[in-house]
């Protein structure tokens, strides 16, 4: 494997039909690179949850994935409204998703908790009215 492989994705706002495409693409590339199934599973779940959050809560955004011989770093950056209360947002089941999103089966309040659960390191930087950047690391 090269030193670091960088993948970039644009996430469209409110496009539930395409939500998950970036995480599926990363999953397939990690399989091709021979990354362990456990690491692939963690990356797929953590990134999918982040991708869905960007579709629901932000005006889309960018995901950068850096694959190195020892870890996968996912940087999810949006220009959304920011997270008013990270502590609340980290509680399983707490959600600000609107009813129409919930009716589609999304917005159960498990996004950030699952992102943390399935990554070895997670950092959230958010500024109201500016956006949020979540950095997750899965080591293998």
């Amino acid at each position: 494997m090269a030193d670091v492989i960088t993948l970039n994705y644009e996430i469209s706002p409110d496009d539930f039909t395409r939500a998950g495409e970036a995480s599926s693409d990363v999953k397939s590339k990690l399989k091709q690179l021979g990354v362990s199934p456990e690491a692939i599973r963690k990356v797929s779940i953590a990134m999918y949850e982040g991708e869905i959050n960007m579709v629901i809560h932000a005006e889309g955004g960018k995901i950068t994935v850096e694959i190195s011989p020892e870890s996968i770093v996912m940087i999810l950056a949006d220009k959304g409204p920011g997270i008013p209360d990270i502590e609340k947002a980290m509680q399983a089941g707490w959600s600000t998703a609107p009813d129409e999103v919930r009716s589609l089966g999304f917005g159960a309040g498990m996004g950030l908790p699952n992102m943390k659960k399935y990554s070895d390191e997670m950092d959230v930087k958010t500024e109201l009215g500016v956006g949020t950047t979540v950095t997750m690391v899965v080591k293998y």
Side-chain angles (χ1 to χ4, degrees):
M1 183 186 318
D3 289 344
V4 176
I5 297 169
T6 302
L7 307 170
N8 294 294
Y9 301 93
E10 287 283 334
I11 307 305
S12 302
D14 298 318
D15 189 352
F16 289 96
T17 57
R18 295 193 55 218
E21 284 182 3
S23 46
S24 290
D25 187 63
V26 170
K27 179 180 183 177
S28 129
K29 286 184 168 55
L30 293 176
K31 281 182 180 176
Q32 291 171 2
L33 293 168
V35 172
S36 75
E38 179 57 21
I40 292 173
R41 183 174 160 275
K42 289 169 72 173
V43 166
S44 298
I45 294 169
M47 189 168 150
Y48 177 78
E49 292 284 8
E51 197 174 340
I52 291 296
N53 275 358
M54 292 171 95
V55 171
I56 295 173
H57 300 290
E59 285 84 51
K62 294 183 189 316
I63 299 178
T64 303
V65 180
E66 297 170 350
I67 306 164
S68 73
E70 47 290 318
S71 68
I72 297 132
V73 178
M74 298 156 278
I75 303 159
L76 292 75
D78 69 51
K79 304 260 188 270
I83 303 169
D85 189 334
I86 291 179
E87 207 172 291
K88 265 189 185 168
M90 292 300 296
Q91 293 173 13
W94 190 84
S95 177
T96 58
D99 289 339
E100 62 268 18
V101 169
R102 290 174 192 254
S103 72
L104 296 172
F106 299 101
M110 293 306 295
L112 282 171
N114 276 338
M115 291 163 70
K116 184 169 180 60
K117 177 179 177 181
Y118 291 101
S119 58
D120 297 312
E121 297 171 19
M122 184 171 106
D123 178 62
V124 180
K125 292 192 178 1
T126 189
E127 191 175 334
L128 294 182
V130 176
T132 301
T133 300
V134 178
T135 303
M136 298 179 288
V137 180
V138 171
K139 298 175 182 173
Y140 61 97

